[in-house]
Amino acid sequence: MGTSSQHYLMASLSLLEASVALLCFLICHHLLSKKPHDRFLKNWPVLGMLPGFLIVLHRIYDFSVEVLEQTNLTFPFKGPWFTGMDILVTVDPANIHYILSSNFSNYTKGADFKEVFDVFGEMIFNSDGDLWRNQRRAAQYMLNHQGFQKLSMSATRTKLDDGLVPLFDRFSKEEMVVDLQNLFQRFTFDTTFVLVTAKRHEVLSQGIHDQQQSNGECHEDLLTSHMKLDTTKYELLNPSDDKFLRDTILAFNLAGRDTTASALSWFFWLLSENPRVVTKIRQEIITNISLHGQDNLDKLVYLQAALYESMRLYPPVPFQRKSPIKPDLLPSGHKVEANSTIMIFLYALGRMRAVWGEDAMEFKPERWVSQSGCLRHEPSFKFLSFNAGPRTCPGKQLALTLIKTVAVEILQNYDIKVIKGQKIEPDPGLILYMKHGLSKHHNRLLRNWPVLGMLPGLLVELHRIYDFTVELLESTDLTFLLKGPWFSGMDMLLTVDPANIHYMLSSNFYNYTKGAEFKEVFDAFGDSILTTESEAWKNLRKASQVMINHHGFQKLSVSTTMSKLKEGLVPLLNRFAEEGATVDLQDVFGRFMFDTTLVIVTGCDDPRSLSFEMPEDESAKALHDIGEGILYRHALVEATKLVWSRKREEDMIDANATFDRVCEKHISAKREEIARSEGHPTGESEDLLTSHMKLDAAKYKLSSSIDDKFLRDTILTFILAGRDTIASVLTWFFWLLSENPNVLSKIRREMDTNLQPSSSSEYDPTEQFNKLVYLHATLCETMRLYPPVPIERGEDASEFKPERWISETGVLRHEPSFKFLAFNAGPRTCLGKKMAMVLMKAVVVEILQNFDVKVAESLEDRTRSSFNS
């Protein structure tokens, strides 16, 4: 497998050629249900044998075995007239040896091969003649280079220890059902990408880097080797050309990933069907590896025999294509014309009784072991998984070492069982993968109904839309096309792919706007920074950045938060604790944030919605109704446009009217305050409404900064931004702490170590909170797990694990914003991120220093908490 010329061929066969090849073995099926000699394809006028092949496309592999067994290992397929689709299919070892070895120079890829596979450029997949010889010599040298050999082993070992093994541990612990084929594809992709480009991935990257630093070893990836090629030795290669290097990366990645993953998948399935083989391999591992170390992989003869037997029955690439330059006569007696097509069907070759004996269909590793206990040699024209002749895979030993390393690690530690009822069958294609994977999947995807699209299924899942999006996007590689009712304009592309997110929010930011309907859905926000685009948005963002970073606003924010904590939240929680009361913590945080945010945005007196009586504030209720209306309009994938009730729209109108009236009162009072204070400084603190009223409209190219509607939109935007998001994070944070007492203990220890008493004259809340690294990590972990749409995927993505945010040196680990989107990304990254983190830390510290929070046990009170001081 690995990186070899054989694998170049393995990965290079496109679906187009595959369809041609597959067609060449399909039509006979309906005839095969009769007597053996009545089973062959009828050669129809004009259409040739094509009609019969179409019938058996779904079982091409088994069909090929039946046909070739009955036709003395070689079968001429006749395509439709004048199409050039005549193909000679053979598994005769004499023919294979002749084509791939004895008369190698006469058999090339064929004239049309390069055109079909132009995606591979000039790489070894497509090349012949002198260019191919240059490429093969270079590949052979690089694959045998000591630096690459070291990199291969360290990358494989590290990915096993830091990636595959922890993943298997979790699957085993939780008794999870997983698609092993998908797992191996991911493992080989990560490993191969490092070997080819040296680009580091996740845990693997640090592990390899650390090994290199500590050992002082010189590891050399294939891209580096190609860039350093000596053009005097390989005169037809051009290592300075970007296209040459691009083709190199593509070729080696495909070669190393797909074939190895396929081999591992079929190997472990065959082991699950043959427990006696597992027992023998484990005994061999105990004797040679467990006692003497990994360096003894070469002594695992029976393991290698089992791997060969697996690849005999399930070759990673099921067929090869060749084309003669000149007319020729094959050993089987079949004449071939120049530029005709010959297909060597490896899948059928491994099952021919004429080649392997009467037990050819059995999985029998013993056939590869000699009486003396050594590995038995079988000629490559019988066992073609690593190609034959001049194109024999130069990376054969490397690939076998990788596969054996993985197999030993898994077999030493785990039992793999295939679910009962799992249907295992090959999937017709370029690589011999399992059609249904190596597990049982019940993915709940949406059905696309005529006329109604996917809307019915979506409405059924509306009550659990967040969990459903996790399942949906996890099952569709992070991106899913949602089809709405015909002509409704509701088609949507849902994505949580970090690459897509980075591209839309950063790399190509200016091409992706809110969209034509966004402003209509969010009309409650008017022309605020949330709804504007282009130059208007840039100007508002510049102005907001200045105001939020203004010393006066920063000072007001900290003093208001601390005052509300000391005089509002703590006394309230004390009373709850004294009375043993159960309280809705989400409601408490919502009120706390409403009072705090309203003060720092408008400069008004504390509305005191946070009190023991829990009074209803009309503006707070209006904000709730506005937010709920927007949720139904937009957040639920717009499906509610078809079920949007008149009553809900009327509630939105009433809520907007209420909020307009409250804002008018605040704006009027602020104007009077500013007028009274002209020429008389009022102190250093400055709220956002005051800052906006003083804004230099000309400097920021705004039409007006004193317009009542502009100010009203500003108040709404900042209050909703500050209140709802932080209240939500705090609620989930304390629930997660109640479920994870070990995390709670770590946070409290960190607080005891780093915080000074608040009564100290040197007490600076912001400076103090910056020392709380683990608390910061826990807040980030909370926001990772509970944003509106989950965006991270990984083996432990569903776990609450603050440690993932902390480096080995104990400082916060940076995660790119396109993975962690709680504060947005790119040019729209949240301006108030630091302020929000300070505020949340202040609340957490105050509560954890004084209270124990316990979630109520009864189902009815599951969102409520009780307090003990």
Side-chain angles (χ1 to χ4, degrees), residues 33 51 100 105 152 230 310 392 417 459 483 658 789 813 815:
S33 60
L100 300 184
S105 59
S152 175
D230 184 347
S310 175
T392 297
K417 299 178 181 178
L459 293 175
K483 303 295 287 184
T658 299
V789 179
R813 187 192 304 276
E815 288 289 355

Side-chain angles (χ1 to χ4, degrees), residues 565-832:
L565 276 170
K566 300 292 186 183
E567 299 172 12
L569 188 62
V570 171
L572 183 66
L573 296 184
N574 268 329
R575 185 166 175 184
F576 289 146
E578 289 170 0
E579 298 184 5
T582 299
V583 63
D584 183 349
L585 199 56
Q586 183 167 266
D587 181 48
V588 169
F589 288 140
R591 291 170 180 271
F592 170 82
M593 286 309 305
F594 172 74
D595 289 356
T596 304
T597 307
L598 191 65
V599 172
I600 65 176
V601 171
T602 69
C604 69
D605 293 334
D606 186 347
R608 307 187 74 82
S609 71
L610 182 67
S611 63
F612 195 76
E613 293 76 20
M614 297 291 190
E616 183 173 81
D617 182 281
E618 62 173 350
S619 56
K621 184 180 185 306
L623 284 168
H624 174 271
D625 291 343
I626 290 170
E628 189 176 68
I630 291 171
L631 171 70
Y632 277 90
R633 277 184 178 177
H634 177 75
L636 299 182
V637 203
E638 295 192 347
T640 51
K641 286 183 177 178
L642 301 183
V643 295
W644 181 258
S645 69
R646 184 178 183 84
K647 171 68 167 61
R648 213 174 275 282
E649 190 65 48
E650 290 173 352
D651 289 344
M652 275 280 284
I653 293 171
D654 291 343
N656 272 312
T658 299
F659 195 76
D660 288 349
R661 178 168 45 80
V662 172
C663 284
E664 184 181 351
K665 181 180 69 174
H666 289 305
I667 292 167
S668 177
K670 183 58 62 179
R671 282 203 176 102
E672 292 178 6
E673 178 186 322
I674 292 174
R676 288 195 306 269
S677 64
E678 282 188 3
H680 305 284
T682 58
E684 296 182 5
S685 298
E686 184 167 288
D687 58 82
L688 288 179
L689 182 56
T690 300
S691 296
H692 276 83
M693 285 184 169
K694 292 179 177 180
L695 198 62
D696 185 342
K699 180 179 179 181
Y700 295 103
K701 300 177 184 177
L702 302 174
S703 57
S704 174
S705 61
I706 58 173
D707 176 64
D708 279 9
K709 186 176 184 307
F710 169 79
L711 295 173
R712 175 265 181 204
D713 296 344
T714 299
I715 293 172
L716 174 62
T717 300
F718 279 99
I719 290 179
L720 280 180
R723 183 195 69 164
D724 295 348
T725 54
I726 294 177
S728 170
V729 173
L730 287 170
T731 304
W732 286 112
F733 174 84
F734 279 100
W735 175 71
L736 285 167
L737 287 193
S738 72
E739 297 288 301
N740 296 272
N742 61 313
V743 175
L744 174 60
S745 298
K746 286 185 178 182
I747 294 174
R748 280 184 163 148
R749 284 199 300 271
E750 183 180 61
M751 288 164 49
D752 291 342
T753 303
N754 293 282
L755 294 183
Q756 295 178 351
S758 57
S759 58
S760 170
S761 58
E762 299 178 359
Y763 186 77
D764 179 350
T766 303
E767 183 180 338
Q768 293 288 302
F769 298 153
N770 285 339
K771 299 175 183 178
L772 304 180
V773 173
Y774 193 78
L775 171 57
H776 191 110
T778 309
L779 287 167
C780 288
E781 183 72 344
T782 299
M783 290 183 280
R784 180 185 71 84
L785 285 172
Y786 292 99
V789 179
I791 64 172
E792 186 176 356
R793 171 179 178 158
E795 56 268 24
D796 59 355
S798 61
E799 294 180 24
F800 179 63
K801 187 178 177 183
E803 287 75 11
R804 77 177 76 244
W805 295 89
I806 301 175
S807 71
E808 293 178 357
T809 59
V811 298
L812 281 168
R813 187 192 304 276
H814 169 72
E815 288 289 355
S817 56
F818 50 85
K819 284 181 64 181
F820 179 60
L821 206 57
F823 292 102
N824 215 323
R828 285 190 180 266
T829 298
C830 174
L831 294 171

